[in-house]
Amino acid sequence: MTSPSDGASDQQPEAKLRADAERNRDLILAAARRLFATEGLGVSMASVAREAGVGKATLSRRFATREELINAAFADRMDGYAGAAAEALADPDPWRGFTGYIHAVCAMQAADRGFADVLTMAFPAAKALEARRRESYDDFVELIARARTSGHLREDFVPEDLVILQIANAGVIAAGGDAAPDTWRRLVGHMIRSYAAPGAPIPEVPDAPTPTALYRAMVHLARSGPCATQTAGH
């Protein structure tokens, strides 16, 4: 005959296993976000496991693929991305909403190198992430239409121009590094000017980085770029 305490005893190990699994998942996500933010999406799964203090098998049980990990790690970022588009649509000034959205998205890239990469790549298996991307895209198309109707956005601007800007911005952010971290702001300022129709109010373009800062960024890029990788392999 089973005593009442036997059932409680069976439940305790199960509850502990669930708590351990949740704790490991949280550790993995926190580690992935730290590494992706500072080093980009090129970080290996093994590096994420080490940063989290778990084994590779534990990582694989929680996230079987890199796309699953990326989907979970950037869920909140994509929520913010979609929210920025909705906020821009709520602005009664279509041109201000459009330019504000462009700047907000590029600032999100600058704040997180991994997210800068996410916005320039597609992850078909990451369903939730791609759904939020599509939602943001639809809102951006509406932003474009409103800004054109206001007469402030060039007629030849297309949604793909944002993707081009994000790719360029990701490159500038990676190249600038810690030496010239605000270089992206000048790029975005110039690009917004290029999108403006004649007579549209355009913001001031931020100052350029100093020659010394740019030189340091170029040195860093030379050390970390393809040539450096090839040299290290010889």
Side-chain angles (χ1 to χ4, degrees):
M1 181 174 178
T2 302
S3 68
S5 62
D6 290 339
S9 177
D10 290 341
Q11 290 172 7
Q12 286 175 3
E14 290 179 9
K16 185 176 186 303
L17 284 173
R18 286 196 298 271
D20 287 347
E22 187 64 26
R23 175 178 172 275
N24 286 336
R25 186 178 189 277
D26 291 344
L27 287 172
I28 291 166
L29 283 176
R33 286 168 179 151
R34 285 194 300 271
L35 292 177
F36 288 154
T38 56
E39 301 179 32
L41 296 187
V43 174
S44 69
M45 296 288 272
S47 295
V48 173
R50 281 196 302 274
E51 177 75 10
V54 303
K56 287 188 282 188
T58 298
L59 174 59
S60 296
R61 282 195 296 273
R62 302 281 75 79
F63 302 99
T65 66
R66 173 180 290 272
E67 285 195 336
E68 284 185 19
L69 179 58
I70 290 171
N71 189 57
F74 290 103
D76 60 336
R77 303 291 196 281
M78 288 305 290
D79 286 345
Y81 184 59
E87 184 178 341
L89 279 176
D91 193 318
D93 183 327
W95 176 242
R96 185 175 61 199
F98 174 85
T99 58
Y101 177 71
I102 294 289
H103 193 275
V105 167
C106 290
M108 289 178 192
Q109 286 186 290
D112 187 323
R113 279 192 60 187
F115 194 56
D117 292 341
V118 165
L119 291 184
T120 62
M121 300 177 185
F123 303 92
K127 303 299 184 184
L129 186 150
E130 291 301 321
R132 294 300 263 165
R133 192 198 303 275
R134 285 192 296 274
E135 180 182 331
S136 298
Y137 177 85
D138 291 342
D139 284 347
F140 185 58
V141 169
E142 187 175 346
L143 270 175
I144 293 172
R146 292 173 72 237
R148 279 183 185 153
T149 301
S150 74
H152 291 150
L153 179 64
R154 289 172 53 137
E155 287 293 329
D156 58 356
F157 182 92
V158 294
E160 289 74 19
D161 287 323
L162 176 60
V163 180
I164 294 169
L165 172 57
Q166 288 172 335
I167 292 172
N169 195 45
V172 168
I173 290 164
D178 294 334
D182 290 330
T183 306
W184 68 273
R185 296 180 185 276
R186 188 166 177 85
L187 169 69
V188 173
H190 279 305
M191 294 309 297
I192 287 176
R193 283 180 171 239
S194 75
Y195 304 151
I202 49 179
E204 292 289 328
V205 175
D207 292 339
T210 66
T212 300
L214 277 181
Y215 179 76
R216 288 175 179 166
M218 292 165 68
V219 169
H220 169 75
L221 192 60
R223 289 174 177 169
S224 61
C227 292
T229 303
Q230 292 171 8
T231 301
H234 283 303

